[in-house]
């Protein structure tokens, strides 16, 4: 992960939050569009008409855009934003609608509803989607937004299929040794046994400081 992807950007926090709210609303609508596209049974002619409208909207958004990856941006007020993230990015309609709650340092959970866009086996969440979301919550848990961590190893045990619909995942730090943090996590239907269990080793890179007091960026309010 090149440090160039962590971009110091002195946009005031209130402006960041205003923009984030607008992007999030658009991403929600695009997410609905994806779900509607999967489920739609309208005639081919209507599909073609909708496509033409969507192409026009894409052209409008392309008028002004970032070159390359969005990266992670942060200001001197300690506010960071990562709107392209594949799990929690507020501007990313591909991302599941995930809000991760950190109970305390080293413990986190999230609840969300996964629809047709995340289907693998019929009626079930794709196993790769479960892995993606678990990796995100485990990485956030390991870092606690106080240090930069990267996934070293991730081990998954698929105990049973996970149905589409309401889902809950939980993570906790199980141990630490120097720059190595072990995290355990699970995902399943709320109130039921885990469908997927995970354990992972997360590493603080040698070039990264051990805590946020040395690195100048910290937790994003919304990802």
């Amino acid at each position: 992960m090149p440090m160039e992807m962590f971009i110091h950007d002195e946009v005031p926090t209130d402006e960041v939050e205003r923009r984030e709210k607008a992007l999030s609303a658009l991403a929600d609508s695009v997410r609905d569009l994806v779900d509607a596209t999967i489920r739609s049974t309208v005639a081919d002619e209507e599909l073609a008409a909708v496509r033409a409208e969507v192409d026009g909207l894409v052209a409008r958004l392309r008028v002004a855009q970032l070159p390359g990856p969005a990266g992670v941006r942060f200001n001197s007020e300690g506010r960071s934003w990562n709107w392209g993230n594949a799990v929690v990015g507020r501007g990313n309609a591909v991302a599941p609608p995930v809000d991760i709650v950190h109970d305390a340092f080293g413990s986190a959970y999230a609840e969300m509803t996964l629809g047709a866009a995340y289907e693998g086996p019929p009626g079930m969440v794709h196993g790769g989607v479960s892995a993606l979301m678990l990796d995100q919550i485990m990485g956030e848990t390991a870092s606690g937004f106080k240090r930069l961590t990267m996934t070293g190893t991730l081990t998954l045990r698929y105990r049973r299929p996970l149905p589409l619909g309401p889902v809950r995942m939980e993570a906790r730090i199980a141990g630490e040794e120097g720059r190595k943090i072990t995290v355990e996590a699970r995902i399943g239907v709320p109130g039921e046994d885990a469908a997927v269990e995970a354990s992972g080793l997360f590493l603080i890179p040698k070039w990264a400081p051990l805590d946020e007091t040395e690195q100048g960026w910290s937790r994003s309010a919304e990802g």
Side-chain angles (χ1 to χ4, degrees):
M1 181 190 298
M3 285 301 294
E4 291 78 8
M5 289 296 96
F6 293 89
I7 303 165
H8 191 186
D9 190 339
E10 282 305 344
V11 178
T13 297
D14 58 350
E15 186 175 335
V16 172
E17 292 178 352
R18 175 191 58 76
R19 179 69 173 182
E20 184 170 89
K21 183 177 180 180
L23 272 175
S24 182
L26 175 58
D28 285 344
S29 293
V30 176
R31 194 176 289 114
D32 285 343
L33 175 63
V34 171
D35 187 85
T37 300
I38 294 169
R39 298 174 184 274
S40 183
T41 58
V42 300
D44 291 352
E45 294 78 7
E46 181 66 1
L47 290 178
V50 170
R51 178 189 175 189
E53 292 186 43
V54 171
D55 287 347
L57 296 175
V58 170
R60 290 171 61 183
L61 292 174
R62 294 285 190 202
V63 169
Q65 61 179 7
L66 295 171
V72 178
R73 295 173 181 267
F74 64 96
N75 61 24
S76 296
E77 300 172 52
R79 178 63 158 93
S80 63
W81 56 102
N82 187 9
W83 294 332
N85 184 277
V87 179
V88 295
R90 292 307 183 195
N92 189 350
V94 175
V98 177
D99 290 304
I100 296 176
V101 179
H102 294 266
D103 286 333
F105 180 71
S107 177
Y109 72 90
E111 293 185 347
M112 74 292 300
T113 298
L114 298 178
Y118 307 105
E119 186 174 42
M124 303 296 171
V125 176
H126 193 291
V129 172
S130 294
L132 174 72
M133 296 194 300
L134 286 168
D135 184 40
Q136 180 70 33
I137 194 172
M138 293 168 77
E140 287 195 15
T141 300
S143 74
F145 296 100
K146 296 179 180 294
R147 55 198 178 188
L148 175 64
T149 60
M150 301 176 69
T151 308
T153 61
L154 187 64
T155 302
L156 302 169
R157 182 176 183 181
Y158 292 85
R159 290 187 168 274
R160 57 181 55 82
L162 177 60
L164 293 172
V167 168
R168 179 183 173 93
M169 58 180 178
E170 303 169 351
R172 69 176 186 88
I173 291 178
E176 295 192 39
E177 182 181 350
R179 291 180 176 267
K180 301 178 180 179
I181 302 101
T182 303
V183 180
E184 296 177 347
R186 50 184 282 158
I187 187 170
V189 175
E192 297 185 9
D193 292 338
V196 185
E197 295 176 339
S199 62
L201 178 65
F202 292 80
L203 308 173
I204 302 173
K206 292 182 179 179
W207 47 262
L210 290 174
D211 61 61
E212 67 179 353
T213 60
E214 302 176 64
Q215 61 195 9
W217 60 272
S218 60
R219 179 177 180 175
S220 163
E222 294 292 344

